[in-house]
């Protein structure tokens, strides 16, 4: 995991809204949308779509979603209001103009998906998500399976060389080569993000890479949710607090 200096988030205040030339990078689940029992249970909302659309206008398209979800899922949940986006922890990457970069899937992915499917068949409530470039094992509906799922995921990672990416009640085995920090850094090399203030907003351990990248590039991270040790410099309580902050951000920026 990331290694920058981390602090207990109880020391962190809400992020400022009066910022010069901000670029905003947003995780999806737990940040723009509440966590749900299954991935498909997260649906578009009129409020989220409006907030993102208006923010893009105010910030001259300097808004991107960086998520573990696929780009197709990002588009579904944001109702197409996120033009710039990076999916599967940076393995898919789309510019504001719609041009797309996508990694090549590791050949071990199909074998891992089958192994996870076999595990899920023996553990009711466990779900397998095939993202093409990665495979996710969701156990939110079967928390008692968490220890066995982690053991299997570690074994598969060791056998295949895939990267194990733990998340909130999910274990993901993904094609190596990217993370949310690298995705943010790539955005910051190109217009309209170049030479602006990067802000990463996230809730999960996978977002720590983004927090650190934003800080290295002169910006900061915003942790969403309960207090914990983090590289973020600010904190917001929950999804409604994020949407409220985004509504205030960028006026006069």
């Amino acid at each position: 995991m990331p290694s920058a200096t981390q602090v207990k988030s109880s020391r962190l205040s809400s992020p400022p809204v009066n910022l010069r030339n901000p670029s905003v990078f947003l995780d999806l689940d737990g940040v723009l949308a509440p966590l749900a029992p299954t991935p498909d249970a997260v649906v578009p909302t009129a409020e989220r779509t409006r907030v993102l659309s208006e923010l893009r206008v105010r910030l001259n398209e300097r808004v991107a979603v960086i998520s573990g979800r696929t780009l197709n899922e990002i588009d579904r949940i944001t109702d197409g209001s996120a033009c710039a986006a990076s999916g599967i922890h940076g393995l898919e990457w789309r510019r504001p103009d719609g041009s797309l970069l996508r990694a090549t899937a590791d050949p071990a992915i199909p074998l891992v998906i089958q192994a996870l499917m076999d595990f899920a068949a023996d553990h009711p409530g466990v779900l397998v998500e095939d993202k093409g470039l990665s495979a996710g094992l969701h156990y939110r509906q079967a928390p008692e399976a968490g220890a066995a799922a982690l053991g299997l995921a570690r074994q598969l990672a060791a056998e295949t060389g895939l990267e194990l990416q733990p998340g909130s009640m999910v274990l993901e085995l993904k094609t190596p080569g990217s993370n949310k920090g690298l995705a943010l850094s790539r955005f910051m090399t190109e217009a309209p993000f170049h030479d602006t203030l990067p802000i990463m907003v996230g809730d999960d351990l996978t977002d720590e890479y983004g927090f650190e990248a934003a800080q290295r590039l002169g910006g900061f991270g915003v942790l969403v949710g309960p207090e914990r040790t983090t590289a973020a410099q600010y904190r917001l309580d929950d999804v409604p607090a994020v949407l409220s902050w985004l509504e205030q951000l960028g006026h006069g920026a």
Side-chain angles (χ1 to χ4, degrees), residues 1 21 39 67 88 100 111 123 149 153 156 172 195 235:
M1 289 303 295
N21 293 328
S67 174
I88 319 179
L100 177 66
L111 299 176
H123 295 82
L156 291 171
E172 189 162 359
D195 288 335
R235 189 177 73 85

Side-chain angles (χ1 to χ4, degrees), residues 32-64:
L32 291 172
L35 296 174
T38 65
D40 291 345
V42 181
V43 297
T45 68
E47 180 186 19
R48 182 189 309 123
T49 299
R50 176 186 60 80
V51 169
L52 287 176
S53 298
E54 293 177 355
L55 184 65
R56 282 174 47 210
V57 172
R58 291 199 304 275
L59 298 188
N60 297 314
E61 299 297 333
R62 299 192 308 274
V63 180

Side-chain angles (χ1 to χ4, degrees), residues 8 79 81 85 92 127 130 154 160 163-164 174 177 238:
K8 185 72 174 179
D79 200 21
S81 59
E92 297 179 319
L127 301 176
D130 180 355
R154 285 174 171 168
T160 64
E163 290 185 3
L164 173 56
K174 65 187 184 71
D238 49 26

